[in-house]
């Protein structure tokens, strides 16, 4: 088996002092207990219970029962030597319907979780939004609104700021690291464009409106956090920028790369890092929307100073100009099958191609060089802003052996290659301060249900028994040493 890799020998094998070794999860993917202690449905509850939306009819009703097993899960993290844990808060667990007062039972769960993490020397990072919008906000249709509810509706950004203030008030004395949003590209373009994620809408104009209101929500939420948190708090966002590469050096393929870079990356980094939408993005999408939903102060608000930037990375995108007779151009973008495109204004112009290299169980190519490229790119785009790899990992078809152990050498090779890429980026000047493996546990993998296993810890879904895989033990040793060992062989 051949995996694309960087050259780890060119970088110091040790990581910087204080480097955070973490793992990450998301509330709907692990918590379960969807009807307990006042929690109301999110858009993912509704979506997963809609026939045909999730493979096998799976739902997150139970997930991996983290809501009841959190103490054992924190003990597992401590046993693996993690120094950091990134988790998300379920909005509808702490503020049912997305409006009004908090439910203390929901907040108490997160208070207790954070206290347990700190007791084991594990630094929490709270993600306020990981795709589980309260369903009542999606259903809301304010008077005179043509956008429908949810993220295409401007009011949702203001509701998010209120929610951010609630969580800050509950956890601000315990938590120093805060991420407003996780992968807003997925929320906007998979949720409202292609429809393969909740809420499953397929309106390109709504997708662009959603993207803008997520930018606005980030800025409003960050300000609410600033107002409610101690001065030591660090506030950032976790994006999933795409390492977009042209298939050839032709001018047409370079323009295809530009179009996807605008929609995958600059639609968020423009407002967040520079306070603007680039002219080419506006021109590319002019036939879909006139962007009149952008308020006078919106971009200033979205351009809230960042204390850190989270980078989520899985695979690069390879694009070319689309021939006139191209069919199903979006199918090789790695974002699920749909007759609707998540690329408004670009799908008629761009074809996606699978990058070379070994594939994961998601059919995503393994290419650590994309992670290095992104870390260096955002070092240049956001000088002085520390970076964290807030998600990186791979799904493989993990199967317990006769003795119950789960041997996953492919994942070890994957992690080694990507950690080597982080080292090379640091050696080239990137200020990378931590790495969060996706994911701590096998879990509900969105529209793929329970068919894809990303976890370093194997979960038997019938019994909820947890078994650390070989990769978990390998990762623990790397974290303890703070040093990357020689490249492993694949056996």
């Amino acid at each position: 088996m051949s995996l694309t890799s960087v050259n780890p020998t060119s970088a110091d094998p040790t990581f910087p002092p204080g480097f955070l070794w973490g793992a990450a999860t998301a509330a709907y993917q692990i918590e379960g207990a969807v009807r307990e202690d006042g929690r109301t449905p999110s858009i993912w509850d509704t979506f997963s219970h809609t026939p045909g939306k999730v493979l096998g009819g799976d739902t997150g009703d139970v997930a991996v029962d983290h809501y009841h097993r959190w103490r054992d899960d924190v003990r597992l993290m401590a046993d693996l030597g993690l120094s950091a844990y990134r988790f998300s808060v379920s909005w509808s667990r702490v503020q049912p319907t997305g409006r009004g007062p908090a439910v203390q039972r929901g907040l108490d769960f997160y208070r207790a979780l954070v206290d347990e993490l700190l007791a084991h020397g594990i630094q929490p990072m709270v993600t306020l939004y990981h795709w589980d919008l309260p369903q009542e906000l999606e259903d809301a249709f304010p008077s005179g609104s043509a956008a429908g509810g949810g993220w295409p509706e401007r009011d949702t950004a203001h509701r998010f700021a209120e929610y951010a203030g609630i969580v800050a008030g509950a956890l601000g004395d315990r938590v120093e690291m805060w991420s407003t949003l996780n992968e807003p590209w997925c929320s906007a373009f998979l949720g409202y464009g292609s429809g393969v994620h909740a809420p499953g809408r397929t309106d390109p104009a709504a997708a662009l409106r959603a993207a803008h209101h997520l930018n606005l929500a980030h800025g409003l939420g960050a300000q609410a956090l600033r107002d409610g948190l101690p001065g030591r708090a660090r506030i950032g966002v976790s994006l999933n920028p795409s390492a977009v590469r042209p298939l050839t050096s032709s001018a047409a393929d370079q323009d295809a790369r530009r179009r996807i870079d605008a929609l995958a990356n600059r639609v968020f980094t423009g407002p967040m890092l520079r306070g603007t939408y680039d002219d080419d993005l506006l021109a590319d999408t002019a036939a879909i929307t006139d962007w009149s939903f952008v308020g006078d102060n919106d971009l200033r608000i979205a351009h809230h100073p960042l204390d850190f930037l989270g980078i989520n990375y899985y695979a690069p995108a390879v694009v070319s100009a689309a021939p006139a007779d191209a069919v199903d151009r979006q199918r090789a973008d790695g974002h699920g099958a749909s007759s609707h495109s998540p690329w408004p204004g670009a799908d008629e112009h761009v074809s996606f191609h699978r990058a070379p290299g070994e594939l994961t169980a998601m059919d995503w190519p393994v290419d650590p060089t994309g992670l290095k490229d992104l870390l260096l790119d955002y070092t240049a785009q956001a000088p002085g802003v520390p970076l964290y790899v807030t998600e990186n990992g791979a799904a493989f078809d993990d199967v317990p052996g006769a003795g119950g152990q789960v041997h996953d050498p492919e994942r070890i090779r994957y992690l080694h290659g990507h950690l080597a890429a982080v080292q090379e980026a640091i050696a080239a000047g990137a200020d990378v301060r931590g790495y969060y493996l996706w994911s701590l546990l096998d879990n509900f993998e969105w529209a793929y249900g329970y068919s894809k296993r990303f976890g370093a810890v194997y979960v038997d879904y019938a019994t909820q028994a947890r078994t650390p895989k070989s990769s978990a033990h390998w990762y623990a040793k790397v974290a303890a040493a703070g040093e990357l060992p020689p490249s492993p062989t694949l056996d």
Side-chain angles (χ1 to χ4, degrees):
M1 178 178 285
S2 174
L3 302 184
T4 305
S5 64
V6 294
N7 176 18
T9 61
S10 65
D12 185 340
T14 61
F15 286 82
F19 190 87
L20 292 181
W21 296 95
T25 63
Y28 189 72
Q29 292 183 274
I30 67 166
E31 286 183 1
V34 297
R35 299 175 186 87
E36 293 188 32
D37 293 336
R39 184 186 181 277
T40 56
S42 74
I43 56 175
W44 268 99
D45 293 280
T46 302
F47 188 81
S48 67
H49 280 269
T50 303
K53 296 297 186 182
V54 175
L55 187 66
D58 292 338
T59 73
D61 287 2
V62 176
V64 295
D65 199 31
H66 175 72
Y67 192 74
H68 300 113
R69 299 170 185 265
W70 57 272
R71 286 187 180 87
D72 291 338
D73 289 340
V74 173
R75 191 174 304 113
L76 186 60
M77 295 179 219
D79 289 344
L80 294 175
L82 298 186
S83 58
Y85 175 54
R86 174 177 171 251
F87 65 92
S88 75
V89 172
S90 168
W91 188 344
S92 58
R93 192 179 293 288
V94 304
Q95 192 191 28
T97 76
R99 300 175 185 273
V103 171
Q104 292 303 315
R105 289 169 296 174
L107 288 171
D108 285 345
F109 167 72
Y110 296 107
R111 290 186 181 107
L113 173 62
V114 168
D115 286 347
E116 191 78 3
L117 290 166
L118 294 173
H120 286 84
I122 300 170
Q123 180 172 329
M125 179 193 290
V126 168
T127 299
L128 288 173
Y129 186 73
H130 198 133
W131 307 354
D132 48 353
L133 186 74
Q135 182 63 43
E136 289 203 19
L137 291 184
E138 176 61 26
D139 293 339
F141 288 83
S143 176
S145 172
W151 287 112
E153 168 55 44
R154 184 181 188 85
D155 185 63
T156 303
H158 293 277
R159 302 284 67 75
F160 177 77
E162 180 183 54
Y163 157 66
I166 288 172
V167 181
L171 302 180
D173 61 337
R174 299 163 167 88
V175 176
E176 293 188 11
M177 295 189 70
W178 297 77
S179 178
T180 54
L181 307 173
N182 178 79
E183 299 185 0
W185 186 90
C186 296
S187 298
F189 294 103
L190 300 184
Y192 295 91
S194 67
V196 299
H197 277 194
R201 288 162 60 178
T202 54
D203 179 346
L208 292 167
R209 291 179 68 98
H212 174 67
H213 293 139
L214 283 156
N215 283 324
L216 179 61
H218 160 72
L220 291 171
Q223 187 58 58
L225 292 176
R226 295 269 182 224
D227 293 342
L229 294 174
R232 68 180 185 279
R234 289 173 285 166
I235 299 167
V237 65
S238 294
L239 304 179
N240 60 319
S242 181
V244 190
R245 296 168 175 169
L247 184 65
T248 74
S249 60
S250 71
D253 288 0
Q254 293 285 357
D255 188 64
R257 189 213 65 80
R258 178 199 61 77
R259 287 178 180 272
I260 298 305
D261 178 58
L263 283 169
N265 300 330
R266 289 183 280 121
V267 68
F268 296 108
T269 58
M272 291 183 187
L273 300 182
R274 293 179 282 107
T276 187
Y277 286 115
D278 291 337
D279 290 342
D280 65 326
L281 170 67
L282 303 182
D284 289 346
T285 57
I288 299 169
T289 180
D290 62 4
W291 294 82
S292 58
F293 46 80
V294 179
D296 290 343
N297 292 317
D298 287 3
L299 294 173
R300 177 187 60 79
I301 293 169
H303 185 36
H304 189 94
L306 293 172
D307 297 317
F308 70 89
L309 178 61
I311 302 294
N312 296 358
Y313 172 79
Y314 293 94
V318 179
V319 300
S320 70
D325 59 351
V327 178
D328 293 337
R329 302 178 185 94
Q330 69 269 28
R331 292 300 186 269
D333 68 356
H335 295 298
S338 171
S339 59
H340 300 272
S341 172
W343 304 106
D347 52 304
E348 294 182 359
H349 304 276
V350 178
S351 288
F352 287 85
H353 305 266
R354 179 176 286 163
E358 182 63 31
L359 301 177
T360 70
M362 296 288 290
D363 285 333
W364 295 346
V366 178
D367 188 346
T369 63
L371 178 56
K372 176 186 174 182
D373 291 347
L374 287 173
L375 293 172
L376 293 176
D377 184 17
Y378 285 97
T379 295
Q381 287 197 45
V385 177
L387 304 177
Y388 291 84
V389 179
T390 42
E391 284 186 29
N392 177 240
F396 292 104
D397 295 325
D398 306 315
V399 178
Q405 299 89 352
V406 183
H407 189 41
D408 57 341
E410 296 92 347
R411 186 172 287 105
I412 293 173
R413 288 272 294 180
Y414 180 99
L415 295 176
H416 189 282
H418 287 78
L419 286 169
V422 173
Q423 286 186 324
E424 287 211 341
I426 292 172
D431 182 10
V432 186
R433 299 190 182 182
Y435 176 94
Y436 292 79
L437 167 67
W438 185 270
S439 176
L440 175 68
L441 303 161
D442 291 335
N443 54 43
F444 176 82
E445 185 50 39
W446 307 115
Y448 293 93
Y450 297 99
S451 68
K452 306 297 182 186
R453 293 182 177 271
F454 275 88
V457 175
Y458 183 90
V459 178
D460 182 327
Y461 298 124
T463 67
Q464 296 294 347
R466 275 87 155 129
T467 303
K469 304 173 188 177
S470 297
S471 60
H473 296 297
W474 180 89
Y475 187 61
K477 291 178 181 177
V478 174
E483 181 174 331
L484 194 62
S487 181
T489 57
L490 194 62
D491 52 22

